[in-house]
Amino acid sequence: MSLPVGLRLAGRTVLVAGGGPVAERRVRALLIERARVLLVAPEVTEELARLADQDPHLVWHRRRAAAADLDGVWLLFAHTSSPRAQRELAEAAESRRIFAVIGGDPQASTAWSAAAARAHGVSVGVNAAADPARAKAVAAWIQARLETGEAPVRARREQVLESPDESRLPPGGVALVGGGPGDPGLLTVRGRHLLADADVVVADRLGPVDLLPRLAEHARIIDVGKRAGYHKVTQDRINATLVEEARKGLRVVRLKGGDPFVFGRGGEEEEYCAAHGVPVEVVPGITSAVSVPAAAGIPVTHRNLSHGFSVVTAHTELPVVPHDRAHTLILLMGVRRLADTSRHLIELGHDPLTPVAIVERGWTPEQRTTVGTLETIAQLARRRGVRAPAVIVVGDVAAMGASTD
């Protein structure tokens, strides 16, 4: 067993014996901690030699390490290629009451260098019963959660960090975060971290709201979700809310479904904030226009079937769109007017037998697909009770999907 302890090594001398790749990693880490590094080895890696020439905190003695090198040292890292030298250094460190990491010999070590995970001002060290590979695997798992914000990395408002984290959203700023198609796993790493750091989250119903209790547990949630035929909060009120909350000095995340700039009115929100002097960060999301068909096994482009695609909103009358079956047409917000839209496309010149697929609630456990043609899809959708949110795919690639319950 070992007691996890953090060491402040800035300005203190640490001996590194050996000049190979492991010693190089140790030296790099020590220099980051602003330690004074005494490197003793007949030969070193090219990078260590370069560091010794450039960094005044690193002194290289071109010879084998000896017990006398431990005089005035606070910590030893022994990474030589000689078992005898390793043993002698361990014994000399023990007699001087100097903690020592003896490479390749955990039993002779009186200290272990933890595998480290660091992000957003948080450092976590992992020891695993002298099993470095296991420790590194656990540290990598923790690192991912620190970076994404799944771990509670949020600093207290009154806390003053030694080095400001420039990756954080500044107080009084707004982040327009695309939440992806609904699966929490498809939210971006940047989006996850901003949620964890938010004071206020202004959330749509199509965003990954299931994440909020975990990733935004400190934040106040403002629900501005819109549903077909029912707008709980107007867009003007949403815009004003973003500015009002930001002007309180709060970190505000506007969590939207899909991508905020693909029929998400993110551009309007960005313009409004900018016009009122509120800094805005845009975090793109995975748009449902492409990802929801993919969830049903339908690629929007496919060799020999589709050479391009168009994305249009179908809650009003469609504009003129390409009517080649090899050009995929993706309709968003089109369930309510599906019968009119199908008829209109046929009138524009689309083949009535063009395959059509409707994917409801993509990337959720309730996902369902309905496949038909332009002349049959409205009737099929009515019979099956198709409801929004759904993505409608028109074109030959739609036939690659299959109706599901």
Side-chain angles (χ1 to χ4, degrees):
M1 297 294 292
S2 61
L3 178 67
V5 174
L7 299 178
R8 290 184 174 178
L9 296 174
R12 294 176 171 87
T13 302
V14 178
L15 172 61
V16 178
V22 177
E24 180 182 316
R25 291 199 299 271
R26 300 298 193 206
V27 169
R28 283 180 170 277
L30 291 166
L31 291 175
I32 290 173
E33 297 299 326
R34 302 191 301 278
R36 296 175 56 202
V37 181
L38 176 61
L39 175 64
V40 184
E43 297 179 351
V44 299
T45 65
E46 185 175 317
E47 177 62 12
L48 279 175
R50 186 188 68 79
L51 287 172
D53 285 339
Q54 297 181 358
D55 197 316
H57 296 93
L58 173 60
V59 176
W60 174 27
H61 293 304
R62 294 167 174 79
R63 55 174 173 76
R64 296 186 183 278
D69 292 316
L70 289 164
D71 294 342
V73 164
W74 291 72
L75 178 65
L76 163 67
F77 287 99
H79 296 289
T80 74
S81 59
S82 167
R84 179 179 176 180
Q86 295 284 93
R87 185 169 58 252
E88 290 175 351
L89 287 170
E91 292 171 353
E94 179 73 14
S95 67
R96 288 167 169 79
R97 298 182 180 181
I98 296 171
F99 283 104
V101 178
I102 308 300
D105 192 352
Q107 298 306 315
S109 298
T110 52
W112 290 266
S113 182
R118 295 185 179 91
H120 310 297
V122 175
S123 297
V124 178
V126 180
N127 286 317
D131 184 346
R134 184 182 174 200
K136 289 177 183 177
V138 174
W141 184 89
I142 295 172
Q143 179 76 32
R145 278 141 189 85
L146 289 175
E147 290 178 352
T148 62
E150 284 187 85
V153 296
R154 176 191 174 93
R156 295 191 305 273
R157 180 174 294 278
E158 67 274 13
Q159 180 179 358
V160 179
L161 299 177
E162 292 182 4
S163 55
D165 187 347
E166 296 180 356
S167 70
R168 301 181 70 199
L169 183 70
V174 171
L176 303 179
V177 175
D183 183 340
L186 296 179
L187 177 65
T188 64
V189 169
R190 179 63 176 159
R192 279 178 172 264
H193 182 256
L194 288 173
L195 280 172
D197 200 36
D199 298 304
V200 177
V201 178
V202 181
D204 279 347
R205 73 183 182 98
L206 295 181
V209 293
D210 291 344
L211 278 175
L212 296 183
R214 271 193 299 130
L215 294 192
E217 60 180 345
H218 303 287
R220 177 162 50 91
I221 311 300
I222 301 176
D223 179 11
V224 295
K226 299 176 181 179
R227 294 160 178 80
Y230 172 62
H231 289 187
K232 183 175 182 178
V233 182
T234 66
Q235 187 62 49
D236 287 344
R237 183 64 250 168
I238 292 172
N239 294 345
T241 297
L242 297 177
V243 170
E244 289 167 3
E245 298 296 332
R247 282 180 170 172
K248 297 175 185 176
L250 303 176
R251 293 182 171 90
V252 182
V253 169
R254 173 72 171 107
L255 180 62
K256 309 171 75 68
D259 183 280
F261 281 10
V262 180
F263 298 117
R265 305 189 76 166
E268 298 173 39
E269 294 169 357
E270 182 184 35
E271 286 180 342
Y272 188 89
C273 289
H276 291 78
V278 173
V280 177
E281 175 181 347
V282 177
V283 181
I286 299 175
T287 175
S288 59
V290 174
S291 61
V292 168
I298 301 172
V300 296
T301 63
H302 190 69
R303 187 176 182 182
N304 299 326
L305 279 184
S306 173
H307 50 70
F309 66 93
S310 298
V311 182
V312 297
T313 176
H315 69 284
T316 59
E317 185 169 329
L318 287 181
V320 175
V321 293
H323 54 267
D324 182 348
R325 286 175 52 160
H327 184 94
T328 305
L329 182 60
I330 301 166
L331 309 178
L332 304 181
M333 299 172 282
V335 171
R336 185 171 58 86
R337 299 192 72 257
L338 181 58
D340 291 338
T341 298
S342 300
R343 183 169 53 254
H344 183 58
L345 287 174
I346 292 172
E347 291 172 353
L348 288 174
H350 282 256
D351 183 349
L353 299 181
T354 300
V356 179
I358 307 173
V359 186
E360 302 169 77
R361 299 177 294 281
W363 293 101
T364 74
E366 294 79 32
Q367 177 176 309
R368 184 175 68 157
T369 304
T370 300
V371 178
T373 66
L374 270 180
E375 63 181 359
T376 66
I377 193 63
Q379 183 179 358
L380 282 171
R382 187 164 51 251
R383 187 165 67 239
R384 286 166 60 88
V386 168
R387 295 181 294 108
V391 175
I392 302 168
V393 182
V394 181
D396 282 343
V397 293
M400 298 179 69
S403 293
T404 58
D405 293 327

